[in-house]
Amino acid sequence: MIGGLFIYNHKGEVLISRVYLSYSDSAAVHYGLPRPGLFSWRNAVDAFRVNVIHARQQVRSPVTNIARTSFFHVKRSNIWLAAVTKQNVNAAMVFEFLYKMCDVMTAYFGKISEENIKNNFVLIYELLDEILDFGYPQNSETGALKTFITQQGIKSQTKEEQSQITSQVTGQIGWRREGIKYRRNELFLDVLESVNLLMSPQGQVLSAHVSGRVVMKSYLSGMPECKFGMNDKIVIDKQGKGGTADDAGKSGKQSIAIDDCTFHQCVRLSKFDSERSISFIPPDGEYELMRYRTTKDIILPFRVIPLVREVGRTKLEVKVVIKSNFKPSLLAQKIEVRIPTPLNTSGVQVICMKGKAKYKASENAIVWKIKRMAGMKESQISAEIELLPTNDKKKWARPPISMNFEVPFAPSGLKVRYLKVFEPKLNYSDHDVIKWVRYIGRSGIYETRC
Amino acid sequence: MTDSKYFTTNKKGEIFELKAELNNEKKEKRKEAVKKVIAAMTVGKDVSSLFPDVVNCMQTDNLELKKLVYLYLMNYAKSQPDMAIMAVNSFVKDCEDPNPLIRALAVRTMGCIRVDKITEYLCEPLRKCLKDEDPYVRKTAAVCVAKLHDINAQMVEDQGFLDSLRDLIADSNPMVVANAVAALSEISESHPNSNLLDLNPQNINKLLTALNECTEWGQIFILDCLSNYNPKDEREAQSICERVTPRLSHANSAVVLSAVKVLMKFLELLPKDSDYYGTLLKKLSPPLVTLLSGEPEVQYVALRNINLIVQKRPEILKQEIKVFFVKYNDPIYVKLEKLDIMIRLASQANIAQVLAELKEYATEVDVDFVRKAVRAIGRCAIKVEQSAERCVSTLLDLIQTKVNYVVQEAIVVIRDIFRKYPNKYESIIATLCENLDSLDEPDARAAMIWIVGEYAERIDNADELLESFLEGFHDESTQVQLTLLTAIVKLFLKKPSETQELVQQVLSLATQDSDNPDLRDRGYIYWRLLSTDPVTAKEVVLSEKPLISEETDLIEPTLLDELICHIGSLASVYHKPPNAFVEGSHGIHQHSADQFAIMKQYFSVLQVWLPATKAKGLEIAGTFSRRQGHMYMDMTFINKALQHMTDFAIQFNKNSFGVIPTTPLPIHTPLMPNQSIDISLPLSTIGPVMKMDPLNNLQVAVKNIIDVFYFSCLIPLNIFFVEDGKMERQVFLVTWKDIPNENELQYQIKECHLNADTVSGKLQNNNIFTIAKRNVEGQDMLYQSLKLTNGIWILAELRIQPGNPNYTVTNPFFSTDIVFAAHIARSE
């Protein structure tokens, strides 16, 4: 398992170090097995600093093997988290754990920075002690951890409280404690989608997919049993035999094909597998209920039409048209088109019909921003780019034109059909719960080659 | 108030001040002081001298302070074992505390203190905690058993903790079950040949129930453990698969990958024509694709695994090629992996799209990536015949860009296209020849020379072109020299009248002026061939060559099967078996009747046979093994030189057992600087025999483009022990009696703490069979036989006295040299 865990700053100084295995005097000796070479943690710590943090080249792999020791790392701003092992560990688990550790730290003290880590080092050791025992990840749900690891120190608990904590940490519903009460039972559902596109210069869709998340904020009393429903094609088709044809006419597209989805650990996966119903007891507060991916019948909110012409060796003419492709009554926001320019650009002149455009030399790009744009509209930018003559043989790689935007609908066509809440023990019913649903579609990697 | 101030005190006398603060009357002050000590410890200062003062702070109700002191103890107890004893009482007391959080904390910390004296005191509290009423304490105690095992394995066995751990598999709390599984898996890794986990249908059922209820991490432990189980029939396999499949929708990618591992393994057991088999295959694809929307590091792990899955079962992802298209902002490690998978999935149906993508990539910035993209175009041409023409024209376009490394890479792949489709695309040779001057890498130069030689009759100025290379003959790399020699000989055979002088020149350069043995040998071969019989020479040199195969870079099937069993783990990321990167990897799990039959008996870790300093940068480490009745020489080649290495070959000197390799060295791609390759060379014993001293000595010659190197190594005799070495009881008796006493040999094996049954089991794994066992005056006597590949039988008597770690072996032997055998086998 994970033999040791280190947090480094950008200079390669160790801020946090936790070692679980010594890798020198171990059971192997007892069984007469060979253990060639002496292992020293100090050397391992240095090896990572020299070979990864201070490496001249760009990092070629998130897993590095130095002297038969494997280093896994993730980087958050300029902080490096490294897990070290000499065994054949579950690699996916180690990375998932490192992500989880970042989440936990963020939940406790905000941004992961050198200052915050130094300010909270005792807390970090305490958390580590709890979530990683002998290199084995343990319950790492912040909701549960916060019941007994607090920055104020533990207040003396009654016996009931203590056993409630331990049963929550180890129990089947590790993500929620009992006895939560709200005067107003309320829940918020956000359907957040990012739509990804790669288009050829000729307007052919090379790949497109939506990766969506359903984020839920729940403020519900007791241990509520929830059931979530959406216009999943498989479910609709199953029910659809006796259903009305009306629905289809109303919403244009009645159901969507979901390629795959994953769920928060509160969702009963075996139930989803057998009945395709999504039922769960939610954590308290905000969490991500599910993630999904669709590739069929995606509404692409914008179309980018590029035209690049090389005029001689020292000039480029670029014209880009964007067309919005959704209901005229809806408004897209925060639109940004980024047109890359060659490294040897000396000057740029831009004219755009709408919004503002600027050449940013430091980013090697023309950035065109439009605050708002309604559906079924069109806008255009043209630019003349002056180039310095170079004798560089390498051709300019022509990076794709990328786009950012936000639209108030789900490009996948996903619709929430219901979210039912049952709490048999308390006296509130599904109707008493105030529910809010919101759809936001954002650009993921939305690129058009030119 | 923040903690960062603790990092700043740095003046002299710090330790002294801390000491005073640690002994302050106020609790708050003491806590502050301990925090400072921990901060100093973290940045690497030695604060071990404060040990007694810190331990004094341990007696407190304040949990935060207690945790800090424990943290300190874990770090320094080892260096101050005598003083660590001072802490024992507190620990033992805390293990009885009414608060379960404190009980768990105490048992967790005690396990981390690696001091023998403390471990003795740990046993009683641990035993209690394993049966604690609170699941939180039990789950912590389960992990503690693994900790204790790492410190003192014998004690864990003697105290019966392994049984307690096994009992916990039936615990009512899912997290306790998961931790017990994790601890048992960890222990069994250092416990060769044990069947610790004892997976039976009943236990499997318990695990599957816990799987639905425990934390994401617990699910991983359980799934990884399930993958080692061998279902007894297809019905059981299917029912386990059905219960594992829902895990594919988990948000944690490690849960998904571990579930994929179980399913991929059990798929082998399902009948291929069943409906369920098809359904399961279909279910595997979407989750694998979803893994690619995770963070880059997990994407990387997923891609390395998908690379294996695609080779094992291409049908799963054949429709999904688009998701492997490279995004502009992907980290380079993700890009390179995606490219690899794209080529594997390329087919007639999608080749147009793939080619358009590859052409796009070939104009990117990262040199490695661009080169790989160009190579990929060539591989597509070779793989999908219909696309060859389009690929060639794409490559020509790329050559027109004149970007140096693109041109060179393109020429190398065009050569391979010619080898696959001879006499089809010669029209482009003229374009290639235009770029002759810009080629400065040996690979590209050699490729170009090969093309010129092969098609000499169609190139008007072939002689001029080749002559231009000849000028700097001695500065060229061996690879280029060899190709040039062959190319000019081909040219001569095709156009003898004009090129007589040229061929003379190259033959004398190769034979008289070169000290490279390969070059000389080949030079002489050609020379003699040409001078004796030009007609035969033509037949030999210009004969048709077999076409090159379609798929390259495939992982060898047995290795692939092994790696599939390790999906999600580091082995699957490195594409190497665990023993290639884990020290003393004895820890091969027992797959009792493994469907992949990858049961290997590892003899030992790799030994360095040829150090890099003695072989111009080539390092060879290796070992011998016997698997499924065949012998193998497992070696790792590491290139520590600055140039790449090609043209590997291996040869053995005559040896006592007639060992020879049955295949050439399976190294087909150049070994780049700082790269290593693991190979498994199958051996047989049908070669020439010569008695060596010692008997098991093997002299080996390895050649590469740089030079020829020699080393010798010792073959462990147990790889010669054949599977049918069990002698009939009667025959054994007769033979034993027939052997004259003077041939008998006796010696002792020291310090072996195993009982007769385990010994017998271990020996049997190495094809040393126990014929009979009897007990004489409290001593266990084992009678054993084994047979060598050359048909020689060896008999032995093993006397084991309980309590006495020294064994006595009597070998009534034919040849004293072979005494060695039993000894070596014993060390397994």
Side-chain angles (χ1 to χ4, degrees):
Chain A
M1 268 311 120
I2 297 174
L5 202 127
F6 303 91
I7 302 181
Y8 293 84
N9 65 10
H10 68 287
K11 285 185 240 162
E13 292 163 351
V14 177
L15 302 177
I16 297 284
S17 82
R18 189 77 172 82
V19 168
Y20 296 99
L21 277 167
S22 64
Y23 288 133
S24 50
D25 53 343
S26 87
V29 178
H30 165 72
Y31 292 110
L33 294 162
R35 280 264 153 156
L38 280 175
F39 176 81
S40 122
W41 276 108
R42 188 172 285 261
N43 290 348
V45 166
D46 291 342
F48 183 76
R49 172 174 37 240
V50 173
N51 289 291
V52 182
I53 300 183
H54 292 166
R56 281 204 205 113
Q57 235 193 345
Q58 193 192 355
V59 178
R60 300 306 263 200
S61 157
V63 187
T64 320
N65 192 311
I66 310 166
R68 293 198 161 220
T69 308
S70 298
F71 297 80
F72 297 77
H73 73 265
V74 301
K75 209 181 162 200
R76 291 287 179 272
S77 62
N78 52 14
I79 295 295
W80 300 74
L81 281 87
V84 187
T85 182
K86 288 177 83 67
Q87 286 159 283
N88 181 31
V89 301
N90 187 320
M93 185 184 83
V94 175
F95 281 123
E96 285 287 345
F97 174 77
L98 290 175
Y99 299 150
K100 193 58 150 211
M101 197 178 140
C102 293
D103 292 347
V104 170
M105 290 198 288
T106 315
Y108 268 92
F109 53 76
K111 194 172 167 279
I112 296 175
S113 63
E114 179 167 358
E115 199 190 347
N116 277 344
I117 288 173
K118 281 188 169 174
N119 282 344
N120 294 284
F121 82 95
V122 173
L123 172 72
I124 295 174
Y125 278 121
E126 202 177 332
L127 286 169
L128 262 182
D129 213 26
E130 192 55 48
I131 61 178
L132 194 63
D133 193 6
F134 199 47
Y136 283 96
Q138 304 291 306
N139 193 336
S140 46
E141 285 300 307
T142 347
L145 289 171
K146 281 194 169 172
T147 58
F148 67 109
I149 296 184
T150 59
Q151 273 161 306
Q152 286 79 43
I154 298 181
K155 313 227 166 51
S156 57
Q157 299 129 331
T158 63
K159 203 160 186 240
E160 290 74 51
E161 278 169 340
Q162 286 163 3
S163 71
Q164 202 192 322
I165 289 170
T166 56
S167 76
Q168 195 206 332
V169 175
T170 58
Q172 292 183 29
I173 307 169
W175 53 88
R176 189 180 180 94
R177 64 191 166 89
E178 300 220 23
I180 297 171
K181 279 206 180 71
Y182 287 103
R183 230 151 42 101
R184 200 157 90 133
N185 288 298
E186 205 172 10
L187 66 86
F188 300 82
L189 272 180
D190 282 345
V191 176
L192 306 172
E193 295 197 338
S194 77
V195 50
N196 299 277
L197 169 73
L198 185 63
M199 196 175 252
S200 77
Q202 293 75 33
Q204 185 194 3
V205 176
L206 296 174
S207 72
H209 75 273
V210 167
S211 57
R213 306 188 297 143
V214 178
V215 174
M216 181 172 174
K217 259 181 257 175
S218 73
Y219 303 104
L220 302 169
S221 312
M223 295 299 257
E225 185 63 51
C226 298
K227 206 169 167 190
F228 174 69
M230 55 189 175
N231 56 341
D232 177 359
K233 194 165 190 299
I234 297 176
V235 177
I236 305 269
D237 286 357
K238 234 193 256 172
Q239 303 167 339
K241 282 170 194 155
T244 54
D246 242 23
D247 289 354
K250 268 182 205 161
S251 57
K253 194 168 66 164
Q254 64 165 352
S255 62
I256 60 163
I258 291 175
D259 287 28
D260 188 37
C261 46
T262 60
F263 296 100
H264 184 268
Q265 59 168 320
C266 66
V267 176
R268 294 182 189 92
L269 293 179
S270 40
K271 213 154 180 188
F272 178 74
D273 193 57
S274 56
E275 305 162 21
R276 219 168 160 91
S277 76
I278 303 167
S279 64
F280 53 96
I281 295 174
D284 193 38
E286 184 173 332
Y287 73 102
E288 188 179 288
L289 174 66
M290 72 178 278
R291 274 176 191 240
Y292 56 92
R293 181 168 46 83
T294 71
T295 46
K296 289 201 186 68
D297 304 324
I298 294 169
I299 307 160
L300 296 169
F302 285 94
R303 164 87 204 275
V304 177
I305 305 153
L307 199 74
V308 181
R309 214 159 63 91
E310 289 179 35
V311 188
R313 297 205 51 178
T314 57
K315 203 167 141 190
L316 275 180
E317 279 180 10
V318 182
K319 198 173 100 177
V320 177
V321 179
I322 59 167
K323 286 183 180 170
S324 59
N325 175 36
F326 44 87
K327 274 191 227 156
S329 58
L330 298 173
L331 273 182
Q333 292 185 28
K334 300 177 190 167
I335 300 145
E336 187 185 290
V337 182
R338 187 171 279 266
I339 304 159
T341 56
L343 298 173
N344 55 336
T345 301
S346 61
V348 176
Q349 281 160 346
V350 269
I351 311 162
C352 55
M353 285 162 57
K354 213 171 171 214
K356 279 180 193 160
K358 228 188 205 169
Y359 167 62
K360 294 195 173 167
S362 59
E363 296 166 35
N364 290 313
I366 300 167
V367 181
W368 176 24
K369 284 182 179 171
I370 305 171
K371 275 196 186 132
R372 264 182 289 277
M373 189 163 167
M376 306 314 268
K377 288 267 189 318
E378 185 176 316
S379 192
Q380 183 183 328
I381 184 173
S382 29
E384 273 187 22
I385 303 170
E386 302 282 342
L387 302 174
L388 290 171
T390 58
N391 39 15
D392 196 357
K393 264 196 188 166
K394 236 195 214 170
K395 228 183 69 180
W396 176 46
R398 280 210 191 184
I401 295 175
S402 59
M403 226 192 136
N404 287 315
F405 54 79
E406 199 177 293
V407 289
F409 60 89
S412 70
L414 183 131
K415 290 267 180 335
V416 176
R417 290 171 60 219
Y418 56 79
L419 198 144
K420 294 177 194 152
V421 181
F422 312 94
E423 166 55 76
K425 286 188 197 146
L426 298 174
N427 56 349
Y428 70 91
S429 74
D430 185 39
H431 298 292
D432 303 329
V433 179
I434 306 162
K435 301 169 189 170
W436 306 85
V437 182
R438 180 166 65 156
Y439 298 91
I440 301 173
R442 291 200 183 97
S443 51
I445 294 165
Y446 204 83
E447 292 177 339
T448 308
R449 289 183 180 153
C450 58
Chain B
M1 204 166 30
T2 64
D3 295 345
S4 60
K5 62 177 189 289
Y6 304 116
F7 283 91
T8 51
T9 51
N10 204 5
K11 47 189 187 287
K12 277 189 181 171
E14 189 190 353
I15 298 277
F16 187 74
E17 268 176 40
L18 281 174
K19 205 178 181 76
E21 284 175 47
L22 283 170
N23 291 308
N24 197 296
E25 281 170 22
K26 288 195 188 125
K27 200 193 278 174
E28 270 312 300
K29 283 270 182 204
R30 291 207 300 269
K31 195 162 106 189
E32 293 294 289
V34 179
K35 277 193 184 182
K36 281 185 200 168
V37 173
I38 303 284
M41 187 177 90
T42 303
V43 297
K45 283 181 204 154
D46 183 17
V47 284
S48 59
S49 58
L50 295 168
F51 201 92
D53 308 281
V54 177
V55 171
N56 272 340
C57 301
M58 194 171 162
Q59 301 278 5
T60 172
D61 308 331
N62 185 313
L63 198 57
E64 200 188 356
L65 178 56
K66 201 182 269 286
K67 281 185 178 175
L68 288 172
V69 175
Y70 280 181
L71 195 60
Y72 178 91
L73 273 175
M74 284 187 264
N75 251 300
Y76 286 115
K78 185 115 215 209
S79 57
Q80 312 259 345
D82 293 330
M83 284 206 267
I85 292 292
M86 290 161 55
V88 164
N89 264 336
S90 288
F91 277 125
V92 175
K93 223 173 83 194
D94 282 354
C95 285
E96 310 259 334
D97 197 279
N99 184 344
L101 290 171
I102 292 188
R103 292 202 296 278
L105 179 66
V107 77
R108 186 164 68 207
T109 314
M110 263 180 110
C112 296
I113 296 179
R114 310 179 60 87
V115 175
D116 276 343
K117 282 181 198 155
I118 288 210
T119 356
E120 285 166 28
Y121 292 100
L122 176 59
C123 291
E124 278 323 299
L126 178 58
R127 200 184 311 283
K128 267 186 213 154
C129 288
L130 280 165
K131 300 213 155 68
D132 199 285
E133 52 170 24
D134 195 295
Y136 183 77
V137 180
R138 290 201 302 276
K139 73 113 185 159
T140 311
V143 177
C144 189
V145 176
K147 294 177 188 170
L148 189 59
H149 185 269
D150 188 45
I151 305 167
N152 191 339
Q154 188 66 47
M155 186 189 278
V156 169
E157 278 170 47
D158 296 347
Q159 298 275 342
F161 284 135
L162 294 181
D163 294 323
S164 317
L165 215 44
R166 264 190 292 252
D167 292 343
L168 289 183
I169 289 185
D171 199 280
S172 58
N173 184 292
M175 196 161 170
V176 176
V177 178
N179 275 5
V181 167
L184 281 170
S185 306
E186 173 94 30
I187 292 171
S188 62
E189 234 171 84
S190 55
H191 220 304
N193 305 327
S194 65
N195 194 11
L196 270 181
L197 270 153
D198 186 27
L199 294 174
N200 53 43
Q202 220 177 352
N203 276 343
I204 291 293
N205 201 26
K206 282 172 197 155
L207 294 184
L208 285 167
T209 311
L211 183 64
N212 281 325
E213 295 164 351
C214 63
T215 65
E216 45 195 328
W217 314 114
Q219 295 183 20
I220 300 168
F221 307 152
I222 292 178
L223 287 169
D224 284 350
C225 171
L226 277 179
S227 71
N228 288 327
Y229 178 64
N230 299 300
K232 60 179 189 304
D233 54 27
E234 49 186 70
R235 265 188 46 216
E236 195 187 7
Q238 176 169 343
S239 93
I240 295 175
C241 287
E242 279 165 359
R243 293 173 73 177
V244 165
T245 320
R247 297 299 120 197
L248 294 174
S249 304
H250 203 287
N252 186 317
S253 64
V255 176
V256 177
L257 269 177
S258 292
V260 169
K261 165 163 59 184
V262 176
L263 298 175
M264 283 292 289
K265 272 194 75 173
F266 290 9
L267 259 179
E268 299 281 317
L269 302 177
L270 300 173
K272 289 205 172 24
D273 47 358
S274 69
D275 289 346
Y276 184 71
Y277 183 86
T279 323
L280 194 53
L281 273 186
K282 273 196 206 107
K283 278 191 175 171
L284 278 170
S285 149
L288 288 172
V289 174
T290 297
L291 292 176
L292 300 182
S293 52
E295 303 222 30
E297 292 87 2
V298 159
Q299 274 189 53
Y300 175 71
V301 174
L303 285 165
R304 294 292 284 174
N305 280 287
I306 289 172
N307 199 328
L308 299 173
I309 293 170
V310 164
Q311 290 182 57
K312 180 79 191 165
R313 297 190 177 276
E315 64 270 33
I316 294 179
L317 286 161
K318 65 168 188 263
Q319 305 291 349
E320 301 287 352
I321 191 153
K322 274 188 176 185
V323 301
F324 299 104
F325 287 180
V326 169
K327 293 185 188 125
Y328 189 73
N329 290 324
D330 281 336
I332 183 68
Y333 51 79
V334 168
K335 283 186 178 173
L336 291 170
E337 291 309 315
K338 281 188 173 171
L339 198 50
D340 235 11
I341 296 169
M342 273 173 71
I343 305 164
R344 294 203 195 284
L345 291 176
S347 68
Q348 204 181 333
N350 56 30
I351 195 75
Q353 268 181 318
V354 172
L355 264 183
E357 282 296 304
L358 293 176
K359 197 176 172 185
E360 200 66 45
Y361 306 159
T363 61
E364 282 225 30
V365 198
D366 191 284
V367 178
D368 283 350
F369 181 60
V370 170
R371 281 174 177 270
K372 198 163 182 173
V374 176
R375 261 200 308 275
I377 298 174
R379 275 169 68 183
C380 285
I382 291 165
K383 195 173 166 187
V384 186
E385 187 164 357
Q386 294 81 351
S387 75
E389 195 152 347
R390 223 167 334 163
C391 295
V392 170
S393 82
T394 308
L395 288 168
L396 280 181
D397 287 350
L398 290 171
I399 288 177
Q400 300 302 348
T401 63
K402 304 277 176 202
V403 178
N404 188 282
Y405 54 84
V406 174
V407 174
Q408 309 212 38
E409 203 66 50
I411 286 182
V412 174
V413 296
I414 287 176
R415 175 196 53 195
D416 290 338
I417 295 178
F418 281 176
R419 290 167 70 200
K420 170 78 184 184
Y421 310 110
N423 305 318
K424 224 171 157 188
Y425 300 108
E426 301 77 47
S427 53
I428 66 169
I429 292 177
T431 322
L432 303 183
C433 291
E434 286 165 23
N435 291 287
L436 221 55
D437 297 336
S438 64
L439 307 180
D440 52 13
E441 293 164 17
D443 275 344
R445 288 172 83 84
M448 192 66 222
I449 293 168
W450 184 87
I451 293 172
V452 174
E454 189 70 13
Y455 295 98
E457 71 274 26
R458 316 198 182 197
I459 306 170
D460 293 338
N461 60 343
D463 49 343
E464 283 170 38
L465 294 176
L466 292 177
E467 198 173 358
S468 69
F469 282 102
L470 209 53
E471 281 161 20
F473 188 78
H474 287 299
D475 301 329
E476 299 283 1
S477 70
T478 313
Q479 181 192 6
V480 177
Q481 290 173 337
L482 287 169
T483 321
L484 191 54
L485 171 63
T486 307
I488 292 178
V489 171
K490 283 182 192 164
L491 171 71
F492 171 71
L493 289 169
K494 287 175 179 173
K495 301 181 185 172
S497 50
E498 309 133 54
T499 55
Q500 188 116 35
E501 203 177 314
L502 194 62
V503 84
Q504 283 293 342
Q505 211 181 336
V506 77
L507 287 174
S508 80
L509 278 170
T511 53
Q512 284 152 20
D513 302 342
S514 166
D515 52 6
N516 180 321
D518 278 329
L519 189 59
R520 289 191 61 186
D521 285 3
R522 202 190 287 188
Y524 279 122
I525 292 169
Y526 281 138
W527 205 328
R528 284 174 196 146
L529 205 56
L530 293 175
S531 54
T532 26
D533 186 355
V535 181
T536 318
K538 202 162 181 169
E539 269 167 33
V540 170
V541 179
L542 299 181
S543 67
E544 234 171 76
K545 288 167 278 285
L547 302 183
I548 58 171
S549 73
E550 291 178 10
E551 291 282 353
T552 44
D553 286 2
L554 284 178
I555 294 177
E556 189 241 335
T558 49
L559 178 60
L560 182 63
D561 283 342
E562 183 176 359
L563 292 177
I564 290 285
C565 300
H566 289 291
I567 283 177
S569 77
L570 264 181
S572 73
V573 174
Y574 294 146
H575 288 184
K576 285 179 186 171
N579 67 316
F581 59 92
V582 174
E583 270 162 25
S585 178
H586 35 276
I588 297 312
H589 286 283
Q590 280 276 304
H591 306 267
S592 36
D594 200 293
Q595 56 269 42
F596 287 138
I598 48 153
M599 269 260 291
K600 296 184 178 181
Q601 281 126 23
Y602 290 90
F603 170 66
S604 70
V605 286
L606 300 183
Q607 281 177 326
V608 176
W609 284 334
L610 184 67
T613 45
K614 283 199 181 157
K616 302 190 181 161
L618 174 68
E619 183 174 301
I620 303 177
T623 180
F624 293 87
S625 63
R626 187 177 184 92
R627 316 193 273 269
Q628 299 166 286
H630 297 284
M631 299 185 290
Y632 295 91
M633 192 170 178
D634 299 319
M635 289 177 283
T636 304
F637 282 60
I638 309 169
N639 181 355
K640 292 190 170 172
L642 294 172
Q643 71 174 106
H644 66 275
M645 299 176 178
T646 52
D647 300 345
F648 284 97
I650 192 164
Q651 213 169 10
F652 295 167
N653 196 358
K654 285 186 210 163
N655 53 69
S656 321
F657 291 90
V659 176
I660 50 163
T662 50
T663 63
L665 263 190
I667 306 181
H668 307 300
T669 46
L671 190 59
M672 293 299 168
N674 275 326
Q675 264 193 355
S676 68
I677 182 168
D678 294 313
I679 53 158
S680 205
L681 186 69
L683 308 174
S684 69
T685 49
I686 51 170
V689 178
M690 179 173 84
K691 193 176 172 205
M692 300 293 290
D693 187 35
L695 201 62
N696 56 340
N697 192 9
L698 177 69
Q699 295 175 337
V700 183
V702 169
K703 157 202 122 98
N704 65 11
I705 190 162
I706 301 172
D707 212 340
V708 182
F709 311 103
Y710 304 91
F711 63 85
S712 65
C713 52
L714 297 179
I715 311 178
L717 279 178
N718 61 321
I719 77 158
F720 297 116
F721 301 172
V722 293
E723 280 66 21
D724 60 346
K726 187 159 187 167
M727 202 177 246
E728 287 289 319
R729 233 183 135 103
Q730 289 305 321
V731 184
F732 185 93
L733 268 175
V734 175
T735 323
W736 187 271
K737 281 183 191 146
D738 281 353
I739 299 165
N741 277 344
E742 57 270 27
N743 277 6
E744 204 167 286
L745 215 124
Q746 230 184 50
Y747 64 97
Q748 282 206 329
I749 300 171
K750 293 215 165 73
E751 292 297 323
C752 194
H753 301 266
L754 298 167
N755 66 28
D757 288 337
T758 11
V759 167
S760 168
K762 276 174 200 251
L763 291 174
Q764 175 135 9
N765 285 337
N766 287 297
N767 299 333
I768 303 176
F769 299 91
T770 304
I771 308 298
K773 182 184 155 186
R774 60 186 181 135
N775 193 297
V776 183
E777 296 157 6
Q779 294 184 350
D780 278 326
M781 312 279 273
L782 294 179
Y783 291 92
Q784 291 166 316
S785 77
L786 64 93
K787 193 172 115 183
L788 296 176
T789 45
N790 51 13
I792 297 178
W793 286 90
I794 296 170
L795 313 179
E797 175 193 81
L798 193 64
R799 203 180 311 147
I800 303 168
Q801 220 170 349
N804 180 357
N806 300 338
Y807 297 177
T808 310
V809 181
T810 311
N811 276 108
F813 261 115
F814 313 98
S815 154
T816 49
D817 286 337
I818 300 184
V819 173
F820 227 80
H823 195 71
I824 288 179
R826 209 276 308 170
S827 67
E828 283 259 320

